[in-house]
Amino acid sequence: MSKKPPAPMPSKAITRRNRRNAYLFLLPNFLGFLVFTFIPVIFAFALSFTNWQGSNKMDFIGIDNFIRMFGDSDFTISFINTVIYTVGTVPFIMLFALLLSMLINSGIKGAPIFRALHFFPHISSIVAISVVWQFLYNNSQGPINMFLRSIGIQNPPGWLSSATWALPAVMIMIIWKYIGYYMINYLAGLQAIPKDLYEAATIDGANGIEQFFYVTLPQLKPTTFYVLIMAVIESFKVFTPIHVMTQGGPGRATSVLVYQIYRDAFVNFEMGYASAMSMALFVVIFVVTLIQFKLQNKYEN
Amino acid sequence: MLKKILCGLLAGAMALTMFAGCSGEEGTTSGEGGSTGTTESTGGEEGGDASGEETTLRLSLWDYETVGYDKAMVEAFQEANPNIKVDVVSTPNADYASKIAVMLSGGDEVDVFYIKSNTDYPTFVMREFVRPLSDLIEANNFDLEPYGTVLDQHYRMDGELYALPYRTNDWVLFYNKDIFDAANVPYPTNDMTWEELAEIAPQVTSGEGGSKIYGMYYQPKVSFILPFMVGYIDDYDNMTSDLSQMAYPIQYFIDLQNSGSYQSYAEAKSMSQDQTYFFNGLNAMFYDGSWFVQMLCDEESVDFEWGVAKSPYWEGTEQKGFATTTPIAINSTTEKVDAAWQLLSFLTGEEGAMVMAENKMVPGYMSDAVMETYREVTGIDDSSYEALTNNVTYGFGEPNTVQGLLTTAFQEELELAITGNQSVEQTVANMESRRTEIIEQNS
């Protein structure tokens, strides 16, 4: 609170009033969260212990759903795919986003234009992007393979129709799409670094590379941490590009967890089992995030 | 931030359906009360009809405005039954299968609804979304004869019927007469094997690049390809058939693809190809459901003569063809059973069938009068008409609830084989092991 000197009013009353106002302001958002997120999550948690299939009587079946997951090749395959997808996208997104933001921050001509251009994929609809990339990836007539052939690659990958390349194809597209968004995050982080740190480093004789490792990177730690967590969560939740571009195929080569959950819930109507899988997804993301928090604390101390 | 982790949307949707599910269950109990009460109230309701009391029915289907014949049928029904008002709930085709199931599990008070296909139907029966029809069929002396063999193949579960088909589609072979004439090759006959087809396909293949005419065409969807393959196995049943026999038809397909008389599946799929390639005269032969007759008749860009031949069959097997049907059912929770039956029996019975035939569609109810109308309206030649009638059909086996899961799993494996991602032996082995897994998990 500001320190306007003479306020001999009963401060308790003021605090109470302020609190009430604050809670009132929070209420709409909190209500939305409660009704559309919190209660459903609790329900999903309860559902995960039942065999509910949409219309039948809900029977409590203990942890059967969770046991079933381990024997379910649909689950294990989509889990592995999700991990591959996350490991294969997040580091690249972060790396490219950082490089780009430094490039733009370095004061090159037309920086605002580049910034806007790179942000463009982020504001475009993911469905539209997926459809366009589907054509780019076309086996014989897609621009990507035409280019590859023109530079002398005789047998370019079949991309979306190849079980080996379909997932990398989606990953490449996603890296491209998200770079712009996280670049903006990094840009904000970079601009918040006080100039005098660089000046001091220059006086101490640090060259560009040393400045990057001893000034820029440490100063960007909070941003990096934020970007890492958001990107990991985002990638565990991937659904739309898969749904649009491959429907999990060919075979099950691009089936990811959320897509599998969707299929079990709304195609096969295994609501209980699908809820159990979403709980498993929750646990995975929770653990990953927890580890990241721990690591961050460790590095900060 | 962690809130986001929780997959809020998905869980939200689940919980919403669950909220609704609770009310749905209440609905069920009252519905049961309703249907036990039906027998007593029948007279009462009929009395109501006579006094001109209006009943409103909710009918759920897809693409009401664009498909045309559904609208024509509903309008005909309205005219014949002014005391029953039909509220149509239409959903886009692609979303329908999940939409109707969510509606029903959410306790939506839909009275009569379409089911996307006969393979979805057993699931609706197991979920108790659909009302048994035997008592109504018996009480109304409804004639089941014109439906043919598909009733037993697709609908009867433990002796009971829960839906009737308003559309029956034999899968047949369409051919472009002009291409055959130009190549001086005789038209496909109503008694032809797939092996014979593979021999004539290269003869009607010509050209290069984007304007290449392919001798044979399947829509690049595995769900359009698996059906003709399972015909190779006698009395095919998803649950029990020896899947190692699938190696032969899968290899057949791959060979056809390699011969160049069928475009690469992966290629066609990545370009989202569909029947327009046949419309544009780029395919000599095309395997599709009989609904395609209507599309061919109504498509203005078709400037060539075409014909229909019975589905080819595999050498050494009995001549038969794959068939799919589109069921209409009554919601198990509806209390307006009599009005609902009136609508259902209109849509799936002779009156509805007549409207279908007038719209160039083969209806489920294939009485002589109906088929005669169909023949007149479509103007197809004699051998094409013969191709569409009196067919011996097969399906994916006894209706059961894992039918859909098994079909999906087989399709996924098949797709890997025909896109060159997996050997045929591996494919067949995977089909077997996934079937075992699915059956174990769902028993």
Side-chain angles (χ1 to χ4, degrees):
Chain A
M1 294 287 163
S2 61
K3 37 180 175 172
K4 281 258 160 89
M9 253 178 86
S11 68
K12 265 190 185 163
I14 297 179
T15 320
R16 218 173 19 236
R17 192 194 62 206
N18 283 350
R19 255 197 206 136
R20 197 196 57 210
N21 287 351
Y23 283 133
L24 272 177
F25 274 113
L26 283 175
L27 186 67
N29 194 19
F30 180 74
L31 269 183
F33 168 70
L34 190 76
V35 173
F36 293 111
T37 308
F38 188 70
I39 295 177
V41 168
I42 299 299
F43 263 120
F45 179 72
L47 272 185
S48 65
F49 298 101
T50 69
N51 62 352
W52 196 49
Q53 293 178 321
S55 68
N56 61 336
K57 226 178 107 253
M58 238 180 266
D59 282 325
F60 180 78
I61 53 166
I63 57 165
D64 281 9
N65 281 333
F66 295 91
I67 295 169
R68 175 174 162 192
M69 265 179 239
F70 293 97
D72 178 2
S73 59
D74 282 342
F75 176 79
T76 44
I77 286 177
S78 45
F79 183 77
I80 292 167
N81 283 342
T82 310
V83 172
I84 294 174
Y85 175 88
T86 305
V87 173
T89 54
V90 176
F92 291 105
I93 291 175
M94 292 176 69
L95 183 71
F96 289 126
L98 179 61
L99 289 178
L100 264 182
S101 63
M102 286 176 57
L103 221 67
I104 286 172
N105 200 39
S106 68
I108 52 162
K109 259 194 176 166
I113 298 174
F114 286 117
R115 207 168 51 209
L117 278 182
H118 286 290
F119 198 61
F120 217 76
H122 177 70
I123 52 170
S124 318
S125 148
I126 177 82
V127 175
I129 287 180
S130 303
V131 171
V132 170
W133 277 76
Q134 219 174 345
F135 285 108
L136 295 183
Y137 278 132
N138 181 292
N139 218 341
S140 63
Q141 286 152 4
I144 293 177
N145 275 1
M146 282 203 205
F147 170 74
L148 289 177
R149 276 196 203 93
S150 75
I151 59 165
I153 296 171
Q154 291 303 320
N155 284 310
W159 299 114
L160 297 177
S161 63
S162 149
T164 334
W165 282 98
L167 194 57
V170 178
M171 284 156 59
I172 291 170
M173 180 196 84
I174 285 296
I175 292 172
W176 168 81
K177 177 176 159 64
Y178 280 111
I179 286 173
Y181 173 67
Y182 292 114
M183 175 198 74
I184 298 292
N185 287 296
Y186 271 122
L187 214 50
L190 282 175
Q191 280 162 0
I193 302 176
K195 290 277 177 295
D196 36 344
L197 286 179
Y198 290 104
E199 281 164 20
T202 317
I203 291 168
D204 287 345
N207 63 23
I209 295 171
E210 283 165 338
Q211 282 187 15
F212 173 74
F213 281 107
Y214 295 108
V215 179
T216 314
L217 264 193
Q219 288 292 317
L220 278 179
K221 212 178 268 168
T223 315
T224 308
F225 180 64
Y226 168 77
V227 168
L228 178 66
I229 289 193
M230 292 318 280
V232 166
I233 292 172
E234 201 65 41
S235 76
F236 267 104
K237 292 190 338 190
V238 58
F239 171 77
T240 319
I242 301 289
H243 187 53
V244 175
M245 293 170 84
T246 64
Q247 279 100 48
R252 293 180 282 183
T254 55
S255 177
V256 288
L257 262 186
V258 179
Y259 187 70
Q260 191 56 42
I261 292 172
Y262 159 79
R263 276 221 334 206
D264 270 323
F266 300 110
V267 179
N268 305 331
F269 298 101
E270 296 275 359
M271 293 292 177
Y273 184 49
S275 302
M277 288 207 283
S278 43
M279 287 303 126
L281 177 63
F282 165 69
V283 169
V284 170
I285 298 179
F286 189 73
V287 168
V288 171
T289 312
L290 218 58
I291 293 172
Q292 287 170 342
F293 266 106
K294 277 268 180 312
L295 284 180
Q296 198 215 13
N297 286 338
K298 200 178 130 196
Y299 281 118
E300 278 191 347
N301 294 334
Chain B
M1 185 162 43
L2 291 180
K3 301 164 202 166
K4 284 206 161 177
I5 312 172
L6 303 177
C7 274
L9 258 183
L10 184 68
M14 275 184 210
L16 281 183
T17 45
M18 189 178 151
F19 272 129
C22 299
S23 63
E25 267 159 42
E26 283 160 34
T28 316
T29 36
S30 64
E32 273 159 16
S35 51
T36 42
T38 311
T39 22
E40 308 151 35
S41 73
T42 309
E45 280 217 23
E46 270 167 10
D49 290 350
S51 69
E53 205 176 292
E54 194 171 271
T55 318
T56 304
L57 288 177
R58 252 168 94 80
L59 170 69
S60 170
L61 42 73
W62 61 89
D63 289 353
Y64 183 64
E65 293 295 334
T66 46
V67 165
Y69 45 79
D70 294 314
K71 196 170 182 179
M73 282 200 295
V74 171
E75 275 163 7
F77 177 78
Q78 293 276 242
E79 212 158 287
N81 301 275
N83 56 334
I84 300 178
K85 191 176 165 298
V86 181
D87 266 348
V88 175
V89 188
S90 179
T91 309
N93 180 12
D95 305 332
Y96 188 75
S98 42
K99 173 74 189 264
I100 183 66
V102 170
M103 273 169 71
L104 290 167
S105 47
D108 188 290
E109 286 173 347
V110 60
D111 300 293
V112 178
F113 57 93
Y114 288 30
I115 297 174
K116 204 66 216 284
S117 81
N118 56 285
T119 39
D120 286 359
Y121 159 81
T123 313
F124 285 79
V125 175
M126 201 200 77
R127 303 267 191 279
E128 292 172 8
F129 286 149
V130 285
R131 188 192 185 283
L133 299 179
S134 292
D135 55 335
L136 294 167
I137 290 168
E138 210 165 295
N140 292 285
N141 277 325
F142 191 75
D143 185 12
L144 296 177
E145 193 64 32
Y147 292 107
T149 51
V150 291
L151 273 196
D152 286 331
Q153 264 175 21
H154 295 166
Y155 291 89
R156 217 174 280 285
M157 292 178 75
D158 296 329
E160 180 59 80
L161 291 170
Y162 300 86
L164 290 171
Y166 89 105
R167 251 176 74 174
T168 294
N169 289 115
D170 288 313
W171 286 53
V172 288
L173 192 70
F174 294 88
Y175 56 92
N176 183 323
K177 287 185 180 174
D178 292 12
I179 297 177
F180 275 85
D181 290 342
N184 214 359
V185 176
Y187 300 146
T189 67
N190 280 334
D191 184 0
M192 186 169 80
T193 62
W194 288 110
E195 286 83 355
E196 284 164 356
L197 182 140
E199 272 167 38
I200 62 168
Q203 300 170 32
V204 283
T205 302
S206 62
E208 276 304 319
S211 59
K212 177 168 177 177
I213 293 172
Y214 288 94
M216 183 58 197
Y217 185 65
Y218 303 85
Q219 286 212 29
K221 297 176 188 153
V222 256
S223 53
F224 281 53
I225 292 169
L226 187 66
F228 90 91
M229 292 186 171
V230 301
Y232 179 71
I233 302 175
D234 280 332
D235 297 323
Y236 180 79
D237 193 314
N238 265 349
M239 293 286 277
T240 53
S241 285
D242 171 17
L243 294 169
S244 66
Q245 295 185 67
M246 284 293 285
Y248 178 81
I250 296 175
Q251 192 57 51
Y252 168 90
F253 188 86
I254 294 171
D255 291 344
L256 190 68
Q257 199 166 242
N258 291 341
S259 77
S261 40
Y262 170 62
Q263 184 174 18
S264 133
Y265 168 87
E267 190 62 39
K269 189 183 175 185
S270 69
M271 297 198 296
S272 309
Q273 282 193 1
D274 56 15
Q275 66 278 355
T276 49
Y277 284 74
F278 188 80
F279 289 154
N280 296 337
L282 293 173
N283 308 122
M285 291 178 281
F286 176 35
Y287 178 66
D288 204 357
S290 59
W291 61 79
F292 192 58
V293 170
Q294 184 224 18
M295 298 167 101
L296 272 170
C297 289
D298 293 353
E299 176 64 42
E300 278 165 21
S301 70
V302 173
D303 57 357
F304 53 84
E305 293 288 309
W306 49 271
V308 190
K310 277 192 197 296
S311 168
Y313 57 101
W314 296 94
E315 219 168 80
T317 67
E318 173 201 354
Q319 174 167 19
K320 57 193 183 308
F322 191 77
T324 44
T325 55
T326 313
I328 304 183
I330 296 178
N331 189 344
S332 55
T333 64
T334 186
E335 283 165 31
K336 304 163 193 160
V337 174
D338 291 293
W341 168 255
Q342 253 176 299
L343 178 58
L344 177 98
S345 58
F346 184 95
L347 297 175
T348 60
E350 180 130 33
E351 295 103 324
M354 215 42 138
V355 179
M356 290 294 280
E358 281 159 11
N359 282 278
K360 311 184 187 83
M361 292 297 292
V362 182
Y365 193 94
M366 290 188 246
S367 63
D368 292 343
V370 170
M371 289 314 285
E372 205 42 58
T373 307
Y374 178 81
R375 179 188 200 147
E376 270 166 36
V377 175
T378 54
I380 50 176
D381 60 30
D382 288 351
S383 89
S384 297
Y385 179 74
E386 196 194 315
L388 292 167
T389 42
N390 298 321
N391 284 318
V392 182
T393 59
Y394 65 91
F396 287 125
E398 292 268 305
N400 62 63
T401 49
V402 292
Q403 186 95 236
L405 289 176
L406 288 174
T407 310
T408 310
F410 294 166
Q411 285 171 1
E412 284 173 353
E413 296 303 326
L414 174 63
E415 186 169 49
L416 286 172
I418 60 179
T419 51
N421 281 302
Q422 185 170 276
S423 72
V424 176
E425 301 82 64
Q426 188 62 48
T427 303
V428 173
N430 286 357
M431 283 180 171
E432 286 280 7
S433 65
R434 288 186 67 181
R435 173 167 73 183
T436 315
E437 186 187 320
I438 289 171
I439 293 174
E440 261 171 24
Q441 280 195 352
N442 290 280
S443 56

